[in-house]
Amino acid sequence: MNATRALAAAGLLVLCFSGLAQAQTAGRVWPTERPPQPLAARDIKFPPYEIQTLPNGLQVVVVMHHEQPSVSMRMLVRVGTANDPKDQMGIAHLTASLLDQGTTSRSAQEMNDDVDFIGGVMGAGAGSDLTFVQMIVMKDSFEKGMRMLSDMARHPAFAPAEIDRQRQQTLSGLTVSLEDPEYIANSVFDRLVYGFHPYGMPDTGTPDSLARLTRADLASFHSRYFIPNNAILAIVGDVTADESFAAAKKVFGDWEKRDLVPDKFIAPPEPTRRVVVVNKPDAVQTEIRVGHIGIPRTHPDYMAVNLAIRILGGEGSNRLHQVLRTERGLTYGAQANMDTLKEAGDFEAETNTRSEATGEVLRLIVDEFWRLQRERVGEGELSSAKAYLTGSFPLTIETPGAIAMQVVNALFYGLPLEQLQNFRERVNAVTVDDVQRVAKTLLRPDRLSVVLVGNAAAFTPQLRGVGFATFETVELGDLDLMAANFKRVGRAAARLAVPPAAVMQRTALRYRQTPAATRPPAVPKPEDAQKAVALLDRAIAAKGGLAALRGLHTIIAKQTLSSPSDPGAPKFTVTTYIQYPDRLRIETVIPGGLNILGFDGKEAWVKNEQGVHAQPSVVASQARLGMRRDVVSLLLAAKDGAVTARLLPDVSSNVAGSITPHVDHVLELTAPDLNPILIYIDPESSLITKETYVDDAPGRPSVEERFSDYRLVNGYQIAFKATRRIGMQIVDRLVSDVKVNPNIDQALFLRPAS
């Protein structure tokens, strides 16, 4: 055996729990590296506002904001790229791009000159559900700016030269985008999730559809949707309500109201487990998108879902980044997003990684979807996500333009403007139970859509091993977002990557998450399962053999603990008493006395100069888990089938002074009630060089422990040196003496009388 039993037990709680660390070191704890506490929340005071609807149906909202002598006017029209006719895809985007490029009374150059003369800013654009035009001017140009806004919205010129120029810019952008793996992944993901619902179609259209659009098409599209009863106008800035409504009536009062028949869309499909691989042979990285259909913006659980997705991969928490970047070093960044549109929405996790790590990254992403659904999030995670939302919200209403955007968006979705005023209260009202409820009801980890864009030959052999035996491969040159199988008409149907017999076994091979408590193990390939067993047997033999490990009952170890992350910290002499499977005593010599931690298999306690103190249940739980995470305990449990061993790809790392990287074999050890543990095994000696896992302690820190300086003691290989790292905290442990199977008085583990 190695010193893991002695060392892991000795430092088991010293580093993980600050309260116990203080008890063990008489007030001196190892230094911690934590982000600074957020500042006190700033009071949010949304400016006063008034709303009126003009006789022609134009909804006008005025927000008084007198901090600057400027006014922002933002008009939102309820038409977007989702309203593109099937044979005119891209028309909404092209129409919006032309609104600020000349009107029937001003050329594009004249408009720009006029805006520059008054020191204003203008713009226009289109989204999935809406089109906007905007003007920002100084207070003394308020009415002139509003007339220019009206001219853009109501009287675009659609000059042939400008149409050709905007069309060519869009086509050039598409040419570049269709070689960009990120754009391709996003576009295929939208089509996969939304099907042939308009949200799944390319916003800017296709080269063919753009080429067909005429000036008459644009004028007809504009005439149908750009009417006052289909628009909202927000006026925000250094104005009064009376002068704003008067100006709006003066400028827009003659805009003719007309009936508009709402468009009807087909419903998006139900979440479906489907994997599409877009083959780009020259790629060295894989773009990965994972997710499924989500919720519309008006969903009653919007805020709880928002926080749940932020915990998964958003600002303020981001489990995906923690696992993929911080713990595994598999990517430069990972995130999860939630799009909430008028008709529907989607949940999407995204990242990129090197080709050879694609399978592992995909598995870990899906694991995190499962974990969010099946495990309650921590109060700390939820608090961090809440703090980000409430802390960043004031920044979204600092300027007149930003306020205008918030206001028109709220009105567009039919949300009360009071929600902007009580935003912080609504965020803070979400509980852990709310997050768990929406995760259970709205997440479908068993029906995730997956898009992988990269060198298919480099990563598709990995997919079966991580539970995705069936997938479709599309060559980049054949990609057609308008086809059901994503392939151009006339090409062969997208092939399955497995023979028909394997398709019949799809239910048995369906992905099963592994790296969290209560999760069933994945089904490995038979050859990989055999390799895992063989590697496990070699590691057991290197430790001393199965019989010797089963005969290990007690151990006493003396060691010295020091902190290289804090050169000024004192060293501590520690003696550890262990009786397997679940008894522990740690004696730490400190200036002026002795601190003792005990665990009798059920309860944890501490004895020091202040007396004897029972420890919280979380300390006992962590002591119990720490004993189970002991390397030898894990090897025996894996041999007995109590934990599942799964072979992962080899991992290489650079070694100081060596020109060739060091390569380790890796086993993942999991159990229904144990977070996954990775053990790294040297190919030559079969000795364990490293163990990593995510702890169940508050904050779920990642733990790494490296073992070296192995020596043979009574038939066991013991690592006399270990380095334990939790975040930026590092503790070195050097063993000076080890006794194997000594007699230990059972009273040592029991809590003494106070």
Side-chain angles (χ1 to χ4, degrees), residues 441-616:
T441 56
L442 297 175
L443 289 186
R444 298 298 303 271
D446 59 330
R447 295 190 178 186
L448 291 170
S449 295
V450 178
V451 176
L452 306 170
V453 180
N455 182 3
F459 65 78
T460 51
Q462 307 164 20
L463 298 183
R464 180 181 175 88
V466 295
F468 291 93
T470 303
F471 57 91
E472 303 161 62
T473 301
V474 182
E475 298 299 323
L476 179 57
D478 295 341
L479 180 63
D480 183 357
L481 295 174
M482 304 305 296
N485 63 0
F486 294 95
K487 301 195 74 173
R488 290 180 181 175
V489 176
R491 300 278 186 173
R495 66 181 179 86
L496 291 177
V498 291
V503 178
M504 299 296 291
Q505 302 174 22
R506 182 174 181 180
T507 301
L509 294 172
R510 288 182 68 177
Y511 179 85
R512 293 179 179 269
Q513 74 292 357
T514 54
T518 73
R519 298 181 183 178
V523 180
K525 292 187 293 185
E527 57 269 29
D528 285 343
Q530 294 172 3
K531 292 177 181 178
V533 171
L535 183 57
L536 177 67
D537 288 342
R538 291 202 301 273
I540 290 173
K543 289 291 181 186
L546 185 60
L549 296 186
R550 291 196 189 282
L552 183 61
H553 302 297
T554 60
I555 191 168
I556 300 176
K558 291 184 178 180
Q559 58 237 301
T560 301
L561 274 62
S562 61
S563 175
S565 57
D566 182 8
K571 294 183 179 180
F572 295 98
T573 300
V574 177
T575 302
T576 305
Y577 302 80
I578 300 175
Q579 177 173 299
Y580 293 98
D582 58 4
R583 295 199 168 195
L584 167 69
R585 178 186 177 100
I586 303 174
E587 298 179 354
T588 304
V589 178
I590 61 173
L594 184 69
N595 270 30
I596 303 173
L597 161 70
F599 177 62
D600 63 6
K602 294 182 180 179
E603 297 179 340
W605 52 271
V606 166
K607 180 181 179 181
N608 53 29
E609 58 185 7
Q610 283 81 37
V612 178
H613 312 280
Q615 294 298 291

Side-chain angles (χ1 to χ4, degrees), residues 180-217:
D180 178 12
E182 185 175 356
Y183 174 87
I184 296 165
N186 292 335
S187 299
V188 175
F189 178 82
D190 287 344
R191 246 289 281 117
L192 199 55
V193 168
Y194 293 107
F196 288 103
H197 184 280
Y199 291 162
M201 299 295 101
D203 288 345
T204 56
T206 66
D208 290 342
S209 68
L210 285 171
R212 290 194 301 266
L213 294 177
T214 66
R215 185 185 184 282
D217 294 332

Side-chain angles (χ1 to χ4, degrees), residues 346-414:
D346 64 77
F347 308 136
E348 177 186 16
E350 63 176 274
T351 189
N352 53 47
T353 189
R354 60 188 188 276
S355 299
E356 60 270 21
T358 301
E360 182 182 3
V361 169
L362 175 58
R363 179 182 63 82
L364 291 170
I365 290 174
V366 181
D367 287 341
E368 290 306 314
F369 272 93
W370 278 110
R371 183 158 76 93
L372 185 62
Q373 184 188 64
R374 294 191 173 184
E375 297 179 9
R376 290 170 61 84
V377 303
E379 289 285 358
E381 285 183 298
L382 180 56
S383 296
S384 295
K386 287 180 177 180
Y388 181 87
L389 273 183
T390 57
S392 61
F393 180 71
L395 301 177
T396 68
I397 55 171
E398 278 197 328
T399 65
I403 294 173
M405 184 174 67
Q406 290 280 0
V407 169
V408 295
N409 284 346
L411 292 176
F412 173 79
Y413 288 112

Side-chain angles (χ1 to χ4, degrees), residues 179 297 459:
E179 290 294 324
R297 177 60 183 87
F459 65 78

Side-chain angles (χ1 to χ4, degrees), residues 637-669:
K639 187 65 177 176
D640 295 337
V643 301
T644 300
R646 189 163 74 96
L647 186 68
L648 296 184
D650 289 350
V651 172
S652 61
S653 57
N654 294 324
V655 179
S658 175
I659 61 174
T660 59
H662 176 78
V663 177
D664 280 321
H665 300 317
V666 185
L667 281 178
E668 180 187 63
L669 304 175

Side-chain angles (χ1 to χ4, degrees), residues 217-287:
D217 294 332
L218 296 170
S220 175
F221 184 84
H222 176 271
S223 176
R224 176 182 177 185
Y225 292 103
F226 281 69
I227 54 178
N229 46 307
N230 195 39
I232 303 169
L233 172 64
I235 304 169
V236 183
D238 191 18
V239 290
T240 66
D242 288 343
E243 65 181 316
S244 297
F245 290 130
K249 292 174 183 177
K250 183 177 181 180
V251 174
F252 291 100
D254 63 343
W255 196 3
E256 182 182 357
K257 178 180 180 179
R258 298 198 307 273
D259 292 334
L260 176 66
V261 179
D263 290 326
K264 294 183 179 180
F265 305 121
I266 63 171
E270 289 295 314
T272 303
R273 190 173 190 272
R274 186 177 178 187
V275 182
V276 174
V277 175
V278 180
N279 184 30
K280 192 173 188 295
D282 61 340
V284 296
Q285 292 193 130
T286 306
E287 287 288 339

